[in-house]
Amino acid sequence: MDLELRGKRALVTGSSSGLGAAIALELAAEGVSVAVHGRDRKRTGETASKIRDLGVEAVVTVGDLMKDEDAKAVADTALAELGGIDILVNNAGAVLRMDNPDWMDVAPQEWLDAYNLNMGATVRMSQHLVPGMKERGWGRVVNISSSGGSQCNGVLLDYCAPKAGVDNFTVNLSKNLAPHGITVNAVIPGTILTPAVERWLVTLREQLNWPDDIAHNERVYTTEFLPQPVPRLGRPRDIAVAVALLASPLSGYTTGALLRIDGGTAMAV
C-alpha cells in the first residue's frame, strides 16, 4: 500500500535507537527524508546512515530536549538541512527511575524532571515546528504516549503521569490545528521490547525473583504481571507502521485520536 509519503520531511525525536529508530526507518522506507535526533552523536549518526542506505536523505540533530536552547537548536538544524518539516514525531521520553521506586521515594525535582522530558519536550518541539506547517497548510504531529498514561497499575508513576498529560495535549492541540490542515494524534504503545524495556524487565526480575530467562519473563509479564490477550510484548515495528499511517496524507480525517497498540492491555472502552 502506497502511503503517499514520498518527498515528505520528518523529524523524529529520540530516534538514535529503540522505538524512535524503528519509526525513523519505517518513514524512510516510505520515501520520507528524516532528521534523526538523539543525545549521542555517534548512535544518532549510525541511524542516519541506515536511512541513507535506503536511498533517502537523513540529517543528524543532537541535543537535550529538556533544555529550551537545545530544543531550538535541534529544530533549527532540521529546518535548515531539510528545508522544512512536514511531520513531527514526538517520541523522546524515558523512565528516569528504572528502579521502580515507591512514589514517596521520588523527590519533587525528579517528578518535575519526568514532566520536563516526557511532556515538556513534546510541547517545545511542537511550538518550534508547527508554525511552518501552518504556513504551508499541511502537517502531521504524532505523539508517542504510553498505556500507563490512562491505565494505572501502581508502577512507574513518575513516568505515567506526564504521559497522561501528553494524551490531553494531543486532543486539545488537534482542535486548534485541524482548520490549518494539520492533524495531531497519539500512539499509545503497550510494553514494547526495546533496550529500555529489557532493562525494566531486569529490574522486575530482581524485585520479583523471576529467572534469568527473557522468553519466560515475557510470558509471565503478559499473562500475570500485566495480563493482556496477546501473550507477547510488542515489537518496535508494531508501533512504527501505525505512526507511518498517521503521518500520511491518507489519514487526513483522523485527528485527536489516541491509538492504542498494546496487545489488548486496556480493559475498558
Side-chain angles (χ1 to χ4, degrees), residues 79 85 128-138 182:
L79 290 168
I85 293 295
H128 285 306
L129 296 175
V130 162
M133 297 178 188
K134 290 175 71 173
E135 289 178 5
R136 292 186 295 275
W138 195 94
I182 304 167

Side-chain angles (χ1 to χ4, degrees), residues 25-38:
L25 288 164
E26 193 71 31
L27 290 172
E30 294 290 333
V32 177
S33 299
V34 182
V36 182
H37 161 261

Side-chain angles (χ1 to χ4, degrees), residues 113-175:
D113 289 344
Y115 270 91
N116 191 9
L117 173 58
N118 290 291
M119 186 174 175
T122 294
V123 175
R124 287 185 182 92
M125 299 313 295
S126 298
Q127 289 180 334
H128 285 306
L129 296 175
V130 162
M133 297 178 188
K134 290 175 71 173
E135 289 178 5
R136 292 186 295 275
W138 195 94
R140 297 287 185 264
V141 179
V142 183
N143 299 323
I144 305 303
S145 184
S146 168
S147 59
S150 56
Q151 178 168 314
C152 306
N153 60 358
V155 298
L156 301 177
L157 277 73
D158 54 322
Y159 172 74
C160 295
K163 288 300 188 180
V166 169
D167 294 346
N168 185 283
F169 177 69
T170 297
V171 177
N172 272 310
L173 190 61
S174 73
K175 311 303 183 189

Side-chain angles (χ1 to χ4, degrees), residues 25-223:
L25 288 164
E26 193 71 31
L27 290 172
E30 294 290 333
V32 177
S33 299
V34 182
V36 182
H37 161 261
R39 289 184 294 179
D40 181 281
R41 184 169 294 277
K42 181 175 183 294
R43 288 195 303 163
T44 307
E46 289 169 351
T47 300
S49 180
K50 292 176 183 177
I51 289 171
R52 295 187 191 105
D53 289 343
L54 296 174
V56 296
E57 185 176 3
V59 299
V60 172
T61 61
V62 178
D64 181 354
L65 301 186
M66 295 175 70
K67 300 176 181 178
D68 291 342
E69 60 274 19
D70 280 25
K72 183 179 186 303
V74 167
D76 287 349
T77 298
L79 290 168
E81 294 289 333
L82 295 181
I85 293 295
D86 307 298
I87 300 161
L88 169 62
V89 182
N90 284 309
N91 170 72
V95 177
L96 297 182
R97 285 286 301 268
M98 291 297 293
D99 56 336
N100 190 29
D102 182 84
W103 73 276
M104 282 291 290
D105 294 330
V106 181
Q109 185 59 52
E110 291 177 304
W111 282 93
L112 293 174
D113 289 344
Y115 270 91
N116 191 9
L117 173 58
N118 290 291
M119 186 174 175
T122 294
V123 175
R124 287 185 182 92
M125 299 313 295
S126 298
Q127 289 180 334
H128 285 306
L129 296 175
V130 162
M133 297 178 188
K134 290 175 71 173
E135 289 178 5
R136 292 186 295 275
W138 195 94
R140 297 287 185 264
V141 179
V142 183
N143 299 323
I144 305 303
S145 184
S146 168
S147 59
S150 56
Q151 178 168 314
C152 306
N153 60 358
V155 298
L156 301 177
L157 277 73
D158 54 322
Y159 172 74
C160 295
K163 288 300 188 180
V166 169
D167 294 346
N168 185 283
F169 177 69
T170 297
V171 177
N172 272 310
L173 190 61
S174 73
K175 311 303 183 189
N176 284 273
L177 297 182
H180 302 282
I182 304 167
T183 66
V184 186
N185 297 288
V187 173
I188 301 181
T191 308
I192 309 300
L193 195 58
T194 61
V197 167
E198 289 178 2
R199 294 192 294 273
W200 165 234
L201 291 176
V202 169
T203 297
L204 292 177
R205 187 189 78 204
E206 294 170 348
Q207 292 181 347
L208 302 175
N209 295 315
W210 289 350
D212 188 8
D213 181 340
I214 191 167
H216 172 274
N217 295 340
E218 181 175 358
R219 288 193 301 273
V220 172
Y221 189 100
T222 55
T223 59

